[in-house]
Amino acid sequence: FPVVATSHTWENGKNEQSHQDTTFCEALLGEMNDMVRVVFPADYNSTLALLPEIYSSRGELACMVIPKRDRPCIFTEEEARNLARAGAHVVDEDLSEGTPLLLIANGAYQLSELVQACERLRDTGTPFRLVYAQEPGRFRHPRDRFEAKVCVTDEELEQIIPGHYHHRVVLTHMRPEVFRGHASRLCGDPARSQVLGYINRGGTLDEAGMLFANRCSWAHALYHGARLLGEPAD
């Protein structure tokens, strides 16, 4: 049974903060993941790929956080199916010499921002990997044996996020503290990672304005990435 949330805080173009903030999906993420799934499909294909399993499941709710406005199609049909199965997917990478920066997006608008950030990292020759985390609850430390069955194993996590990728910047649809708490396996060492998300700032702003006001733009991601790598932010 899907519960679809389409009008949310990043789309406050006319109603200030009267739209649904991020509390709804955050509260459901606190439930056991084998009973309540919280997913953030980023485009048409990733949304479509999730539906067969959601509608064929029994005794399980799925919160689908989906933008109501048009978004670019980033995943192919096959990539979307892999994303639905794994909960996360490597979107882009450029592993030239040097210390790689791991970028993790959670949310459609956040993914678009990090795609822009990758273009600038590539221009400067900075190695990176961009990962989209569609179902962050699968990357928590399981709380019982039932939840462990739907969480990724250490081996599966290593394929998506190798342990030697220490420097990490996350852009999340949710509040950063909530994401780090539930998906700590994605975030890594707090001293070498930065999570950016909704910080209760807003107004009558478009998506770009909301992202900037909450320090979630591609520029903020690059700033923190440079700081983690010990490089000049300019």
Side-chain angles (χ1 to χ4, degrees):
F1 185 82
V3 179
V4 182
T6 59
S7 183
H8 50 71
T9 192
W10 304 104
E11 297 173 345
N12 277 335
K14 59 184 177 66
N15 295 321
E16 295 191 3
Q17 295 287 65
S18 65
H19 277 56
Q20 169 205 321
D21 69 9
T22 60
T23 302
F24 180 66
C25 60
E26 292 169 356
L28 292 179
L29 195 61
E31 301 299 325
M32 303 304 288
N33 209 69
D34 57 308
M35 301 296 292
V36 179
R37 300 173 63 188
V38 182
V39 293
F40 300 80
D43 62 5
Y44 176 85
N45 284 336
S46 55
T47 301
L48 194 63
L50 283 166
L51 294 179
E53 184 177 3
I54 289 174
Y55 276 108
S56 63
S57 65
R58 293 293 180 269
E60 181 182 287
L61 296 177
C63 172
M64 304 182 72
V65 181
I66 307 173
K68 65 180 177 181
R69 296 172 183 164
D70 290 340
R71 303 302 304 153
C73 197
I74 293 178
F75 300 104
T76 66
E77 291 184 20
E78 181 60 30
E79 289 172 341
R81 286 191 290 268
N82 291 335
L83 176 60
R85 286 192 295 267
H89 183 75
V90 177
V91 179
D92 191 11
E93 64 181 356
D94 186 344
L95 302 180
S96 54
E97 293 185 5
T99 303
L101 178 64
L102 178 63
L103 301 172
I104 302 174
N106 165 238
Y109 294 115
Q110 288 70 26
L111 178 57
S112 292
E113 292 299 304
L114 289 188
V115 167
Q116 292 187 58
C118 288
E119 294 174 0
R120 286 152 179 83
L121 290 174
R122 187 175 280 111
D123 289 341
T124 61
T126 304
F128 67 87
R129 171 176 282 193
L130 171 59
V131 171
Y132 187 64
Q134 178 171 264
E135 192 171 353
R138 295 182 61 185
F139 296 90
R140 62 161 39 98
H141 292 286
R143 291 165 285 185
D144 61 22
R145 70 181 189 277
F146 303 107
E147 193 171 52
K149 294 178 180 179
V150 298
C151 291
V152 301
T153 65
D154 291 338
E155 292 75 17
E156 291 169 335
L157 180 63
E158 182 71 17
Q159 293 179 0
I160 300 172
I161 300 179
H164 65 276
Y165 283 48
H166 298 299
H167 303 89
R168 307 178 182 187
V169 176
V170 181
L171 256 64
T172 176
H173 171 93
M174 299 175 286
R175 293 177 174 88
E177 299 84 0
V178 175
F179 187 93
R180 188 184 285 278
H182 286 293
S184 58
R185 295 169 72 197
L186 287 176
C187 301
D189 183 356
R192 292 189 283 187
S193 63
Q194 182 70 45
V195 182
L196 308 174
Y198 180 58
I199 55 174
N200 290 65
R201 293 189 176 182
T204 306
L205 304 171
D206 60 10
E207 294 93 332
M210 285 296 296
L211 288 161
F212 188 84
N214 286 275
R215 304 172 190 167
C216 284
S217 71
W218 62 267
H220 290 95
L222 290 180
Y223 170 80
H224 287 286
R227 181 180 60 83
L228 291 171
L229 294 173
E231 300 289 344
D234 57 355

